Amino acid sequence: MPADPTAPGRRAPAPGVAPDAGPAPGRPACRAEVRYLLGRLLPFLVIALATVADVLTPPQERFDRFLIAAPALAAATWSARGTAAIGGLAMAASAALAAARGDSLLPAALANQVVLAVVALAAAVSSHVRQRREAELRQVSAVAEAAQGALLRPLPPRLGTVDLRLLYEASAAGAHVGGDFYKALKVRDGVRIMLGDVQGKGLPAVEAASLLLGSFREAAYTAPDLPAIAQRLEASMARYAERAPESDAADRFSTVLLAEVPDDRPVIRLLSCGHPAPVVQRDGAVETVELTAPSVPVHLPVPVDAPFTVEEVPFGPGDRLLMFTDGVTETRDARGAFYPLEQRLAAWADEPADRIPGLLREDLDRFGAHGLEDDTTALLLVRDGSGGTVPRLPSPPRAVAV
């Protein structure tokens, strides 16, 4: 998430770029399944151990009292019926142990059975309540996932002469969408791309991201150039702030990086609204694109009258360019060092583009002192290297102020 540029002592994000990653590694899910299985087996283990210990120890050592834990533990993972059945099994084991010891039916054995029955009934009720709440949570999660999927749809693997590989990780637990946003569209003469980061986190950041995405979807098809798109993004946020001044989203600014890849020229045009510069890989060499005059973030609270500057950078067949948010470059290790993105990309120069997002995601998770703590997005663009309509002669960089 971008920080307020007026905040004192804030270190600017290091320039860099990031690729696409799929879901997080499956080890946490595997561990969760193992824990769930252990939870299911634990009530039976308690019954077995309590029974064996009671049989093998002197009569005055009463291990059958531990049987009361079995239905209580079952409520965490079993259904109401399963919990009641486990309670019945514990009662049967208690009665068998009492008979083996020669205990009289009254009063101790009967009292123990009554206590077990009450605990089993309470555990069954608790299990029923848990199941109902889990069903409600699944329904809410399904609705949230559908809404989030409508906001940020998966990118196609290819648009025009560009292959796309995405890494997207929302920082909020269980969330699919955060303050980072992205969009790529095939327009008449090329491909237009937006990647951005809303100030802050939570629902207001998601709301602001949705406004900018909607504005970009409309402007990308009709605007004559990138500055016109940036102006429309700014106008959309200004109109929303006038229409809903009480909304938290109306106060959020966003850093945005716009890109345009023409079909018939080996270049990429870039316009940065306060966003980190991308990294380009060409012929094995990796370097950060020099943005000579980046514009201010979109909807910055302080009015700034500055032109939008478009940088035109060589981007021919086989070249790669990585756009990213500061969740990548501001990841720090235990010593406080920032993530060395350029070094990592140089080491992965020979890796297939499909592997880069996964490699980046895993490497960031290992490098960070606490894993991935911020929204993290990286979009890898790969220019078609099969020849065809894109010339191979690079164009000299040029900047155009509008």
Side-chain angles (χ1 to χ4, degrees), residues 40 43-44 47 70-71 74 78 81-91 120:
R40 299 272 287 182
F44 299 102
I47 292 174
W78 287 86
R81 290 184 179 181
T83 300
I86 290 173
L89 181 62
M91 292 174 66

mmCIF file with all atom_site columns, all heavy atoms in Angstrom, residues 40 43-44 47 70-71 74 78 81-91 120:
data_model
loop_
_atom_site.group_PDB
_atom_site.id
_atom_site.type_symbol
_atom_site.label_atom_id
_atom_site.label_alt_id
_atom_site.label_comp_id
_atom_site.label_asym_id
_atom_site.label_entity_id
_atom_site.label_seq_id
_atom_site.pdbx_PDB_ins_code
_atom_site.Cartn_x
_atom_site.Cartn_y
_atom_site.Cartn_z
_atom_site.occupancy
_atom_site.B_iso_or_equiv
_atom_site.pdbx_formal_charge
_atom_site.auth_seq_id
_atom_site.auth_comp_id
_atom_site.auth_asym_id
_atom_site.auth_atom_id
_atom_site.pdbx_PDB_model_num
ATOM 1   N N   . ARG A 1 40  ? -10.232 -35.451 14.681 1.00 0.00 ? 40  ARG A N   1
ATOM 2   C CA  . ARG A 1 40  ? -11.274 -36.480 14.561 1.00 0.00 ? 40  ARG A CA  1
ATOM 3   C C   . ARG A 1 40  ? -10.914 -37.746 15.333 1.00 0.00 ? 40  ARG A C   1
ATOM 4   O O   . ARG A 1 40  ? -11.786 -38.420 15.892 1.00 0.00 ? 40  ARG A O   1
ATOM 5   C CB  . ARG A 1 40  ? -11.451 -36.836 13.079 1.00 0.00 ? 40  ARG A CB  1
ATOM 6   C CG  . ARG A 1 40  ? -11.886 -35.689 12.194 1.00 0.00 ? 40  ARG A CG  1
ATOM 7   C CD  . ARG A 1 40  ? -13.372 -35.535 12.122 1.00 0.00 ? 40  ARG A CD  1
ATOM 8   N NE  . ARG A 1 40  ? -14.008 -36.581 11.334 1.00 0.00 ? 40  ARG A NE  1
ATOM 9   C CZ  . ARG A 1 40  ? -15.316 -36.635 11.098 1.00 0.00 ? 40  ARG A CZ  1
ATOM 10  N NH1 . ARG A 1 40  ? -16.110 -35.707 11.606 1.00 0.00 ? 40  ARG A NH1 1
ATOM 11  N NH2 . ARG A 1 40  ? -15.834 -37.608 10.379 1.00 0.00 ? 40  ARG A NH2 1
ATOM 12  N N   . PRO A 1 43  ? -10.843 -38.072 20.164 1.00 0.00 ? 43  PRO A N   1
ATOM 13  C CA  . PRO A 1 43  ? -11.809 -38.637 21.123 1.00 0.00 ? 43  PRO A CA  1
ATOM 14  C C   . PRO A 1 43  ? -11.644 -40.144 21.301 1.00 0.00 ? 43  PRO A C   1
ATOM 15  O O   . PRO A 1 43  ? -11.723 -40.661 22.425 1.00 0.00 ? 43  PRO A O   1
ATOM 16  C CB  . PRO A 1 43  ? -13.166 -38.288 20.502 1.00 0.00 ? 43  PRO A CB  1
ATOM 17  C CG  . PRO A 1 43  ? -12.904 -37.111 19.644 1.00 0.00 ? 43  PRO A CG  1
ATOM 18  C CD  . PRO A 1 43  ? -11.530 -37.302 19.109 1.00 0.00 ? 43  PRO A CD  1
ATOM 19  N N   . PHE A 1 44  ? -11.400 -40.862 20.181 1.00 0.00 ? 44  PHE A N   1
ATOM 20  C CA  . PHE A 1 44  ? -11.225 -42.316 20.282 1.00 0.00 ? 44  PHE A CA  1
ATOM 21  C C   . PHE A 1 44  ? -9.922  -42.660 20.991 1.00 0.00 ? 44  PHE A C   1
ATOM 22  O O   . PHE A 1 44  ? -9.845  -43.648 21.737 1.00 0.00 ? 44  PHE A O   1
ATOM 23  C CB  . PHE A 1 44  ? -11.236 -42.934 18.885 1.00 0.00 ? 44  PHE A CB  1
ATOM 24  C CG  . PHE A 1 44  ? -12.523 -42.715 18.143 1.00 0.00 ? 44  PHE A CG  1
ATOM 25  C CD1 . PHE A 1 44  ? -12.607 -41.743 17.161 1.00 0.00 ? 44  PHE A CD1 1
ATOM 26  C CD2 . PHE A 1 44  ? -13.653 -43.452 18.440 1.00 0.00 ? 44  PHE A CD2 1
ATOM 27  C CE1 . PHE A 1 44  ? -13.787 -41.529 16.480 1.00 0.00 ? 44  PHE A CE1 1
ATOM 28  C CE2 . PHE A 1 44  ? -14.849 -43.246 17.769 1.00 0.00 ? 44  PHE A CE2 1
ATOM 29  C CZ  . PHE A 1 44  ? -14.916 -42.280 16.786 1.00 0.00 ? 44  PHE A CZ  1
ATOM 30  N N   . ILE A 1 47  ? -10.572 -42.339 24.712 1.00 0.00 ? 47  ILE A N   1
ATOM 31  C CA  . ILE A 1 47  ? -11.334 -43.488 25.223 1.00 0.00 ? 47  ILE A CA  1
ATOM 32  C C   . ILE A 1 47  ? -10.427 -44.706 25.349 1.00 0.00 ? 47  ILE A C   1
ATOM 33  O O   . ILE A 1 47  ? -10.439 -45.422 26.365 1.00 0.00 ? 47  ILE A O   1
ATOM 34  C CB  . ILE A 1 47  ? -12.537 -43.791 24.307 1.00 0.00 ? 47  ILE A CB  1
ATOM 35  C CG1 . ILE A 1 47  ? -13.563 -42.653 24.395 1.00 0.00 ? 47  ILE A CG1 1
ATOM 36  C CG2 . ILE A 1 47  ? -13.189 -45.119 24.681 1.00 0.00 ? 47  ILE A CG2 1
ATOM 37  C CD1 . ILE A 1 47  ? -14.718 -42.793 23.428 1.00 0.00 ? 47  ILE A CD1 1
ATOM 38  N N   . ALA A 1 70  ? -13.839 -37.159 26.067 1.00 0.00 ? 70  ALA A N   1
ATOM 39  C CA  . ALA A 1 70  ? -14.056 -37.636 24.697 1.00 0.00 ? 70  ALA A CA  1
ATOM 40  C C   . ALA A 1 70  ? -15.184 -36.888 23.974 1.00 0.00 ? 70  ALA A C   1
ATOM 41  O O   . ALA A 1 70  ? -14.970 -36.361 22.874 1.00 0.00 ? 70  ALA A O   1
ATOM 42  C CB  . ALA A 1 70  ? -14.301 -39.141 24.695 1.00 0.00 ? 70  ALA A CB  1
ATOM 43  N N   . PRO A 1 71  ? -16.416 -36.815 24.523 1.00 0.00 ? 71  PRO A N   1
ATOM 44  C CA  . PRO A 1 71  ? -17.461 -36.061 23.803 1.00 0.00 ? 71  PRO A CA  1
ATOM 45  C C   . PRO A 1 71  ? -17.157 -34.566 23.706 1.00 0.00 ? 71  PRO A C   1
ATOM 46  O O   . PRO A 1 71  ? -17.533 -33.921 22.718 1.00 0.00 ? 71  PRO A O   1
ATOM 47  C CB  . PRO A 1 71  ? -18.723 -36.334 24.629 1.00 0.00 ? 71  PRO A CB  1
ATOM 48  C CG  . PRO A 1 71  ? -18.240 -36.738 25.972 1.00 0.00 ? 71  PRO A CG  1
ATOM 49  C CD  . PRO A 1 71  ? -16.953 -37.452 25.736 1.00 0.00 ? 71  PRO A CD  1
ATOM 50  N N   . ALA A 1 74  ? -14.919 -34.204 20.805 1.00 0.00 ? 74  ALA A N   1
ATOM 51  C CA  . ALA A 1 74  ? -15.601 -34.552 19.559 1.00 0.00 ? 74  ALA A CA  1
ATOM 52  C C   . ALA A 1 74  ? -16.403 -33.378 19.004 1.00 0.00 ? 74  ALA A C   1
ATOM 53  O O   . ALA A 1 74  ? -16.589 -33.260 17.788 1.00 0.00 ? 74  ALA A O   1
ATOM 54  C CB  . ALA A 1 74  ? -16.515 -35.752 19.777 1.00 0.00 ? 74  ALA A CB  1
ATOM 55  N N   . TRP A 1 78  ? -16.632 -33.253 14.995 1.00 0.00 ? 78  TRP A N   1
ATOM 56  C CA  . TRP A 1 78  ? -17.688 -34.183 14.604 1.00 0.00 ? 78  TRP A CA  1
ATOM 57  C C   . TRP A 1 78  ? -19.041 -33.476 14.541 1.00 0.00 ? 78  TRP A C   1
ATOM 58  O O   . TRP A 1 78  ? -19.244 -32.432 15.149 1.00 0.00 ? 78  TRP A O   1
ATOM 59  C CB  . TRP A 1 78  ? -17.760 -35.368 15.579 1.00 0.00 ? 78  TRP A CB  1
ATOM 60  C CG  . TRP A 1 78  ? -16.612 -36.327 15.412 1.00 0.00 ? 78  TRP A CG  1
ATOM 61  C CD1 . TRP A 1 78  ? -15.385 -36.247 15.982 1.00 0.00 ? 78  TRP A CD1 1
ATOM 62  C CD2 . TRP A 1 78  ? -16.607 -37.500 14.602 1.00 0.00 ? 78  TRP A CD2 1
ATOM 63  N NE1 . TRP A 1 78  ? -14.594 -37.294 15.594 1.00 0.00 ? 78  TRP A NE1 1
ATOM 64  C CE2 . TRP A 1 78  ? -15.322 -38.094 14.740 1.00 0.00 ? 78  TRP A CE2 1
ATOM 65  C CE3 . TRP A 1 78  ? -17.545 -38.127 13.778 1.00 0.00 ? 78  TRP A CE3 1
ATOM 66  C CZ2 . TRP A 1 78  ? -14.968 -39.268 14.074 1.00 0.00 ? 78  TRP A CZ2 1
ATOM 67  C CZ3 . TRP A 1 78  ? -17.193 -39.302 13.117 1.00 0.00 ? 78  TRP A CZ3 1
ATOM 68  C CH2 . TRP A 1 78  ? -15.915 -39.855 13.269 1.00 0.00 ? 78  TRP A CH2 1
ATOM 69  N N   . ARG A 1 81  ? -24.655 -35.665 15.706 1.00 0.00 ? 81  ARG A N   1
ATOM 70  C CA  . ARG A 1 81  ? -24.911 -37.102 15.866 1.00 0.00 ? 81  ARG A CA  1
ATOM 71  C C   . ARG A 1 81  ? -23.635 -37.858 16.182 1.00 0.00 ? 81  ARG A C   1
ATOM 72  O O   . ARG A 1 81  ? -23.623 -38.755 17.036 1.00 0.00 ? 81  ARG A O   1
ATOM 73  C CB  . ARG A 1 81  ? -25.547 -37.659 14.598 1.00 0.00 ? 81  ARG A CB  1
ATOM 74  C CG  . ARG A 1 81  ? -26.984 -37.189 14.364 1.00 0.00 ? 81  ARG A CG  1
ATOM 75  C CD  . ARG A 1 81  ? -27.573 -37.870 13.149 1.00 0.00 ? 81  ARG A CD  1
ATOM 76  N NE  . ARG A 1 81  ? -28.947 -37.455 12.929 1.00 0.00 ? 81  ARG A NE  1
ATOM 77  C CZ  . ARG A 1 81  ? -29.713 -37.911 11.943 1.00 0.00 ? 81  ARG A CZ  1
ATOM 78  N NH1 . ARG A 1 81  ? -29.210 -38.796 11.078 1.00 0.00 ? 81  ARG A NH1 1
ATOM 79  N NH2 . ARG A 1 81  ? -30.959 -37.490 11.807 1.00 0.00 ? 81  ARG A NH2 1
ATOM 80  N N   . GLY A 1 82  ? -22.542 -37.500 15.479 1.00 0.00 ? 82  GLY A N   1
ATOM 81  C CA  . GLY A 1 82  ? -21.280 -38.170 15.760 1.00 0.00 ? 82  GLY A CA  1
ATOM 82  C C   . GLY A 1 82  ? -20.800 -37.900 17.174 1.00 0.00 ? 82  GLY A C   1
ATOM 83  O O   . GLY A 1 82  ? -20.275 -38.795 17.850 1.00 0.00 ? 82  GLY A O   1
ATOM 84  N N   . THR A 1 83  ? -20.987 -36.674 17.645 1.00 0.00 ? 83  THR A N   1
ATOM 85  C CA  . THR A 1 83  ? -20.593 -36.323 19.013 1.00 0.00 ? 83  THR A CA  1
ATOM 86  C C   . THR A 1 83  ? -21.415 -37.121 20.030 1.00 0.00 ? 83  THR A C   1
ATOM 87  O O   . THR A 1 83  ? -20.871 -37.625 21.017 1.00 0.00 ? 83  THR A O   1
ATOM 88  C CB  . THR A 1 83  ? -20.776 -34.817 19.246 1.00 0.00 ? 83  THR A CB  1
ATOM 89  O OG1 . THR A 1 83  ? -19.964 -34.085 18.318 1.00 0.00 ? 83  THR A OG1 1
ATOM 90  C CG2 . THR A 1 83  ? -20.375 -34.428 20.661 1.00 0.00 ? 83  THR A CG2 1
ATOM 91  N N   . ALA A 1 84  ? -22.723 -37.220 19.781 1.00 0.00 ? 84  ALA A N   1
ATOM 92  C CA  . ALA A 1 84  ? -23.582 -38.002 20.686 1.00 0.00 ? 84  ALA A CA  1
ATOM 93  C C   . ALA A 1 84  ? -23.175 -39.467 20.680 1.00 0.00 ? 84  ALA A C   1
ATOM 94  O O   . ALA A 1 84  ? -23.164 -40.131 21.738 1.00 0.00 ? 84  ALA A O   1
ATOM 95  C CB  . ALA A 1 84  ? -25.044 -37.849 20.275 1.00 0.00 ? 84  ALA A CB  1
ATOM 96  N N   . ALA A 1 85  ? -22.819 -39.996 19.503 1.00 0.00 ? 85  ALA A N   1
ATOM 97  C CA  . ALA A 1 85  ? -22.395 -41.401 19.422 1.00 0.00 ? 85  ALA A CA  1
ATOM 98  C C   . ALA A 1 85  ? -21.103 -41.633 20.196 1.00 0.00 ? 85  ALA A C   1
ATOM 99  O O   . ALA A 1 85  ? -20.950 -42.650 20.891 1.00 0.00 ? 85  ALA A O   1
ATOM 100 C CB  . ALA A 1 85  ? -22.221 -41.795 17.962 1.00 0.00 ? 85  ALA A CB  1
ATOM 101 N N   . ILE A 1 86  ? -20.168 -40.675 20.089 1.00 0.00 ? 86  ILE A N   1
ATOM 102 C CA  . ILE A 1 86  ? -18.913 -40.806 20.838 1.00 0.00 ? 86  ILE A CA  1
ATOM 103 C C   . ILE A 1 86  ? -19.193 -40.714 22.341 1.00 0.00 ? 86  ILE A C   1
ATOM 104 O O   . ILE A 1 86  ? -18.566 -41.414 23.155 1.00 0.00 ? 86  ILE A O   1
ATOM 105 C CB  . ILE A 1 86  ? -17.916 -39.730 20.381 1.00 0.00 ? 86  ILE A CB  1
ATOM 106 C CG1 . ILE A 1 86  ? -17.440 -40.046 18.959 1.00 0.00 ? 86  ILE A CG1 1
ATOM 107 C CG2 . ILE A 1 86  ? -16.727 -39.622 21.332 1.00 0.00 ? 86  ILE A CG2 1
ATOM 108 C CD1 . ILE A 1 86  ? -16.580 -38.991 18.324 1.00 0.00 ? 86  ILE A CD1 1
ATOM 109 N N   . GLY A 1 87  ? -20.155 -39.850 22.731 1.00 0.00 ? 87  GLY A N   1
ATOM 110 C CA  . GLY A 1 87  ? -20.555 -39.805 24.140 1.00 0.00 ? 87  GLY A CA  1
ATOM 111 C C   . GLY A 1 87  ? -21.127 -41.133 24.601 1.00 0.00 ? 87  GLY A C   1
ATOM 112 O O   . GLY A 1 87  ? -20.831 -41.598 25.716 1.00 0.00 ? 87  GLY A O   1
ATOM 113 N N   . GLY A 1 88  ? -21.938 -41.770 23.747 1.00 0.00 ? 88  GLY A N   1
ATOM 114 C CA  . GLY A 1 88  ? -22.486 -43.093 24.087 1.00 0.00 ? 88  GLY A CA  1
ATOM 115 C C   . GLY A 1 88  ? -21.392 -44.137 24.217 1.00 0.00 ? 88  GLY A C   1
ATOM 116 O O   . GLY A 1 88  ? -21.445 -45.012 25.098 1.00 0.00 ? 88  GLY A O   1
ATOM 117 N N   . LEU A 1 89  ? -20.377 -44.049 23.349 1.00 0.00 ? 89  LEU A N   1
ATOM 118 C CA  . LEU A 1 89  ? -19.255 -44.985 23.430 1.00 0.00 ? 89  LEU A CA  1
ATOM 119 C C   . LEU A 1 89  ? -18.493 -44.793 24.740 1.00 0.00 ? 89  LEU A C   1
ATOM 120 O O   . LEU A 1 89  ? -18.082 -45.779 25.390 1.00 0.00 ? 89  LEU A O   1
ATOM 121 C CB  . LEU A 1 89  ? -18.325 -44.763 22.231 1.00 0.00 ? 89  LEU A CB  1
ATOM 122 C CG  . LEU A 1 89  ? -17.101 -45.687 22.144 1.00 0.00 ? 89  LEU A CG  1
ATOM 123 C CD1 . LEU A 1 89  ? -17.531 -47.147 22.016 1.00 0.00 ? 89  LEU A CD1 1
ATOM 124 C CD2 . LEU A 1 89  ? -16.229 -45.288 20.939 1.00 0.00 ? 89  LEU A CD2 1
ATOM 125 N N   . ALA A 1 90  ? -18.302 -43.527 25.154 1.00 0.00 ? 90  ALA A N   1
ATOM 126 C CA  . ALA A 1 90  ? -17.625 -43.263 26.420 1.00 0.00 ? 90  ALA A CA  1
ATOM 127 C C   . ALA A 1 90  ? -18.439 -43.804 27.598 1.00 0.00 ? 90  ALA A C   1
ATOM 128 O O   . ALA A 1 90  ? -17.878 -44.355 28.563 1.00 0.00 ? 90  ALA A O   1
ATOM 129 C CB  . ALA A 1 90  ? -17.387 -41.760 26.578 1.00 0.00 ? 90  ALA A CB  1
ATOM 130 N N   . MET A 1 91  ? -19.788 -43.679 27.536 1.00 0.00 ? 91  MET A N   1
ATOM 131 C CA  . MET A 1 91  ? -20.637 -44.215 28.600 1.00 0.00 ? 91  MET A CA  1
ATOM 132 C C   . MET A 1 91  ? -20.545 -45.734 28.662 1.00 0.00 ? 91  MET A C   1
ATOM 133 O O   . MET A 1 91  ? -20.501 -46.326 29.760 1.00 0.00 ? 91  MET A O   1
ATOM 134 C CB  . MET A 1 91  ? -22.081 -43.778 28.366 1.00 0.00 ? 91  MET A CB  1
ATOM 135 C CG  . MET A 1 91  ? -22.312 -42.291 28.552 1.00 0.00 ? 91  MET A CG  1
ATOM 136 S SD  . MET A 1 91  ? -23.986 -41.771 28.119 1.00 0.00 ? 91  MET A SD  1
ATOM 137 C CE  . MET A 1 91  ? -24.932 -42.635 29.398 1.00 0.00 ? 91  MET A CE  1
ATOM 138 N N   . ALA A 1 120 ? -22.141 -35.237 27.135 1.00 0.00 ? 120 ALA A N   1
ATOM 139 C CA  . ALA A 1 120 ? -22.352 -35.632 25.741 1.00 0.00 ? 120 ALA A CA  1
ATOM 140 C C   . ALA A 1 120 ? -23.471 -34.815 25.104 1.00 0.00 ? 120 ALA A C   1
ATOM 141 O O   . ALA A 1 120 ? -23.369 -34.393 23.943 1.00 0.00 ? 120 ALA A O   1
ATOM 142 C CB  . ALA A 1 120 ? -22.668 -37.121 25.662 1.00 0.00 ? 120 ALA A CB  1
#
